[in-house]
Amino acid sequence: MRGELDVDFCVVNGENAADGIGITTKLAERLLAAGADVITLGNHTWRRSEIGPYLADSARVVRPANLAAAAPGRGVTVAEARGGARVAVINVLGSLYLEPARNMWELIDDLVDEARNETPLVIVDVHAEATSEKVALARWLDGRVTAVIGTHTHVQTSDARVQPGGTAAITDAGMTGPHDSVIGVQGDLAIRRMRTGMPVRFETATGGVRIEGALVECGLDGRATAIEPVRVAA
Ligand SMILES: [Fe+2]
């Protein structure tokens, strides 16, 4: 896909890579080897305990910056794109249902300043439940970052746009995984848990696999010129 779409830099949200919950070091390495430049995470960051030491040492896998400061890993990093441009990636967690250690609004301006000290090319992955939080953050950062890409809710939204200040945004990039499902889980199991309120062991579905995401075009000045949703049957 990198070749087909002529992609210079690729960010993957990998927090559900390990059977729907969390990521392992092996899977992170596989995603990086497959062409991801940076992997972001989310509310399931710590589901696989092995990931802590890995995040402490990794410059290419980031976790939300507003998780506990005492936890391993970083929430912002800079990596090199094809052609040599440096791209900063910031990962933050929204508040609704996710209860981060710190509110993203308390940190985001400092994170963006830190990133912009390195490069004008800045991508923010805002991992959040509420569309309002993601739309608000995109507006707040308009003109200061290249793109604000929402993740976590797994359903691609139809609001890809470049805002007046030159920041591209989409409220949710969607899900790479089985769409014949309830956001990745076998439908009958998810429905049984909802109908009965009883514990049900979730299994990952297998049908209707699609790659979803967003493709952003920008100049070396960091301003976005276009964004389009990506939706490809695997
Ligand atoms: Fe999530």
Side-chain angles (χ1 to χ4, degrees):
M1 275 191 82
R2 279 192 74 135
E4 265 171 44
L5 299 175
D6 199 23
V7 168
D8 290 318
F9 193 80
C10 174
V11 181
V12 171
N13 181 275
E15 76 140 4
N16 301 115
D19 267 339
I21 293 185
I23 190 168
T24 62
T25 57
K26 204 170 163 185
L27 285 167
E29 291 293 321
R30 273 181 72 186
L31 283 168
L32 293 170
D37 292 299
V38 170
I39 298 171
T40 53
L41 297 171
N43 51 305
H44 293 311
T45 296
W46 308 124
R47 289 298 187 112
R48 312 281 167 155
S49 53
E50 67 185 75
I51 207 69
Y54 179 80
L55 288 186
D57 290 333
S58 176
R60 293 174 68 196
V61 185
V62 294
R63 47 81 161 170
N66 50 337
L67 296 180
R74 63 183 81 184
V76 55
T77 194
V78 178
E80 202 168 291
R82 184 181 65 173
R86 300 175 76 235
V87 182
V89 178
I90 295 170
N91 190 193
V92 288
L93 205 57
S95 292
L96 183 72
Y97 302 151
L98 302 178
E99 294 166 11
R102 292 168 291 165
N103 189 302
M104 68 179 179
W105 297 98
E106 301 293 319
L107 288 84
I108 193 67
D109 292 335
D110 287 344
L111 290 167
V112 168
D113 287 348
E114 183 186 339
R116 286 175 58 93
N117 279 339
E118 301 283 330
T119 173
L121 294 154
V122 182
I123 298 168
V124 177
D125 172 356
V126 53
H127 195 84
E129 191 80 41
T131 52
S132 54
E133 287 186 83
K134 297 193 259 191
V135 171
L137 189 70
R139 289 186 72 114
W140 176 244
L141 296 180
D142 187 23
R144 288 192 281 159
V145 304
T146 307
V148 177
I149 308 293
T151 57
H152 176 69
T153 42
H154 296 215
V155 178
Q156 191 177 72
T157 54
S158 59
D159 63 340
R161 69 234 179 249
V162 178
Q163 301 177 117
T167 296
I170 185 169
T171 296
D172 205 283
M175 175 179 76
T176 292
H179 283 257
D180 181 7
S181 69
V182 174
I183 61 168
V185 172
Q186 286 180 20
D188 55 335
L189 302 179
I191 292 164
R192 194 189 313 157
R193 189 196 275 186
M194 291 179 199
R195 287 191 70 226
T196 65
M198 294 167 71
V200 175
R201 189 183 169 84
F202 280 176
E203 301 281 345
T204 303
T206 54
V209 174
R210 283 205 300 271
I211 296 172
E212 291 189 344
L215 184 63
V216 175
E217 254 180 58
C218 67
L220 287 172
D221 60 358
R223 285 178 74 93
T225 51
I227 177 170
E228 57 184 80
V230 173
R231 201 170 207 233
V232 183

